[in-house]
mmCIF file of all heavy atoms in Angstrom:
data_model
loop_
_atom_site.group_PDB
_atom_site.id
_atom_site.type_symbol
_atom_site.label_atom_id
_atom_site.label_comp_id
_atom_site.label_asym_id
_atom_site.label_seq_id
_atom_site.Cartn_x
_atom_site.Cartn_y
_atom_site.Cartn_z
ATOM 1 N N ILE U 229 -143.630 32.725 80.599
ATOM 2 C CA ILE U 229 -144.493 33.858 80.268
ATOM 3 C C ILE U 229 -145.952 33.405 80.167
ATOM 4 O O ILE U 229 -146.853 34.001 80.751
ATOM 5 C CB ILE U 229 -144.062 34.508 78.933
ATOM 6 C CG1 ILE U 229 -142.658 35.099 79.069
ATOM 7 C CG2 ILE U 229 -145.067 35.578 78.509
ATOM 8 C CD1 ILE U 229 -142.582 36.352 79.891
ATOM 9 N N SER U 230 -146.165 32.339 79.389
ATOM 10 C CA SER U 230 -147.537 31.854 79.194
ATOM 11 C C SER U 230 -147.514 30.461 78.603
ATOM 12 O O SER U 230 -146.468 29.970 78.156
ATOM 13 C CB SER U 230 -148.317 32.788 78.254
ATOM 14 O OG SER U 230 -147.996 32.516 76.902
ATOM 15 N N GLY U 231 -148.686 29.855 78.552
ATOM 16 C CA GLY U 231 -148.828 28.566 77.889
ATOM 17 C C GLY U 231 -148.770 28.675 76.386
ATOM 18 O O GLY U 231 -148.714 27.662 75.694
ATOM 19 N N TYR U 232 -148.809 29.908 75.860
ATOM 20 C CA TYR U 232 -148.697 30.118 74.420
ATOM 21 C C TYR U 232 -147.247 30.130 73.939
ATOM 22 O O TYR U 232 -146.991 30.112 72.741
ATOM 23 C CB TYR U 232 -149.343 31.451 74.025
ATOM 24 C CG TYR U 232 -150.840 31.485 74.194
ATOM 25 C CD1 TYR U 232 -151.429 32.222 75.221
ATOM 26 C CD2 TYR U 232 -151.683 30.794 73.324
ATOM 27 C CE1 TYR U 232 -152.798 32.272 75.372
ATOM 28 C CE2 TYR U 232 -153.060 30.833 73.481
ATOM 29 C CZ TYR U 232 -153.613 31.579 74.506
ATOM 30 O OH TYR U 232 -154.979 31.624 74.663
ATOM 31 N N HIS U 233 -146.308 30.216 74.869
ATOM 32 C CA HIS U 233 -144.887 30.216 74.516
ATOM 33 C C HIS U 233 -144.346 28.788 74.626
ATOM 34 O O HIS U 233 -144.586 28.110 75.629
ATOM 35 C CB HIS U 233 -144.093 31.121 75.452
ATOM 36 C CG HIS U 233 -144.408 32.579 75.303
ATOM 37 N ND1 HIS U 233 -145.603 33.132 75.723
ATOM 38 C CD2 HIS U 233 -143.680 33.602 74.784
ATOM 39 C CE1 HIS U 233 -145.604 34.435 75.463
ATOM 40 N NE2 HIS U 233 -144.446 34.745 74.890
ATOM 41 N N ASP U 234 -143.606 28.357 73.616
ATOM 42 C CA ASP U 234 -143.108 26.979 73.608
ATOM 43 C C ASP U 234 -141.721 26.952 72.963
ATOM 44 O O ASP U 234 -141.591 26.893 71.736
ATOM 45 C CB ASP U 234 -144.079 26.076 72.846
ATOM 46 C CG ASP U 234 -143.658 24.614 72.863
ATOM 47 O OD1 ASP U 234 -142.709 24.282 73.602
ATOM 48 O OD2 ASP U 234 -144.281 23.800 72.147
ATOM 49 N N PHE U 235 -140.691 27.016 73.807
ATOM 50 C CA PHE U 235 -139.306 26.994 73.322
ATOM 51 C C PHE U 235 -138.454 26.103 74.218
ATOM 52 O O PHE U 235 -138.614 26.122 75.445
ATOM 53 C CB PHE U 235 -138.689 28.405 73.337
ATOM 54 C CG PHE U 235 -139.174 29.291 72.241
ATOM 55 C CD1 PHE U 235 -140.287 30.099 72.432
ATOM 56 C CD2 PHE U 235 -138.545 29.314 71.013
ATOM 57 C CE1 PHE U 235 -140.754 30.917 71.424
ATOM 58 C CE2 PHE U 235 -138.999 30.133 69.989
ATOM 59 C CZ PHE U 235 -140.106 30.936 70.202
ATOM 60 N N ALA U 236 -137.564 25.354 73.616
ATOM 61 C CA ALA U 236 -136.550 24.636 74.383
ATOM 62 C C ALA U 236 -135.474 25.647 74.750
ATOM 63 O O ALA U 236 -134.883 26.279 73.863
ATOM 64 C CB ALA U 236 -135.967 23.489 73.562
ATOM 65 N N ARG U 237 -135.212 25.834 76.038
ATOM 66 C CA ARG U 237 -134.236 26.838 76.467
ATOM 67 C C ARG U 237 -132.846 26.426 75.999
ATOM 68 O O ARG U 237 -132.428 25.277 76.146
ATOM 69 C CB ARG U 237 -134.257 26.944 78.001
ATOM 70 C CG ARG U 237 -133.632 28.268 78.523
ATOM 71 C CD ARG U 237 -134.659 29.346 78.576
ATOM 72 N NE ARG U 237 -134.056 30.669 78.733
ATOM 73 C CZ ARG U 237 -133.773 31.252 79.888
ATOM 74 N NH1 ARG U 237 -134.004 30.614 81.020
ATOM 75 N NH2 ARG U 237 -133.283 32.472 79.927
ATOM 76 N N LYS U 238 -132.119 27.371 75.433
ATOM 77 C CA LYS U 238 -130.782 27.089 74.935
ATOM 78 C C LYS U 238 -129.831 26.739 76.073
ATOM 79 O O LYS U 238 -129.927 27.279 77.169
ATOM 80 C CB LYS U 238 -130.233 28.300 74.178
ATOM 81 C CG LYS U 238 -130.953 28.629 72.891
ATOM 82 C CD LYS U 238 -130.348 29.863 72.236
ATOM 83 C CE LYS U 238 -131.069 30.229 70.951
ATOM 84 N NZ LYS U 238 -130.519 31.468 70.355
ATOM 85 N N LYS U 239 -128.900 25.834 75.781
ATOM 86 C CA LYS U 239 -127.842 25.480 76.720
ATOM 87 C C LYS U 239 -126.584 26.270 76.356
ATOM 88 O O LYS U 239 -126.203 26.331 75.187
ATOM 89 C CB LYS U 239 -127.543 23.980 76.668
ATOM 90 C CG LYS U 239 -128.742 23.102 76.983
ATOM 91 C CD LYS U 239 -129.209 23.260 78.424
ATOM 92 C CE LYS U 239 -130.353 22.303 78.735
ATOM 93 N NZ LYS U 239 -130.848 22.486 80.128
ATOM 94 N N VAL U 240 -125.963 26.863 77.353
ATOM 95 C CA VAL U 240 -124.753 27.658 77.121
ATOM 96 C C VAL U 240 -123.621 27.054 77.944
ATOM 97 O O VAL U 240 -123.767 26.875 79.158
ATOM 98 C CB VAL U 240 -124.974 29.131 77.521
ATOM 99 C CG1 VAL U 240 -123.741 29.967 77.153
ATOM 100 C CG2 VAL U 240 -126.215 29.697 76.842
#
Side-chain angles (χ1 to χ4, degrees):
I229 296 287
S230 80
Y232 292 108
H233 292 71
D234 183 9
F235 285 91
R237 199 87 194 271
K238 293 179 181 177
K239 301 294 184 182
V240 185

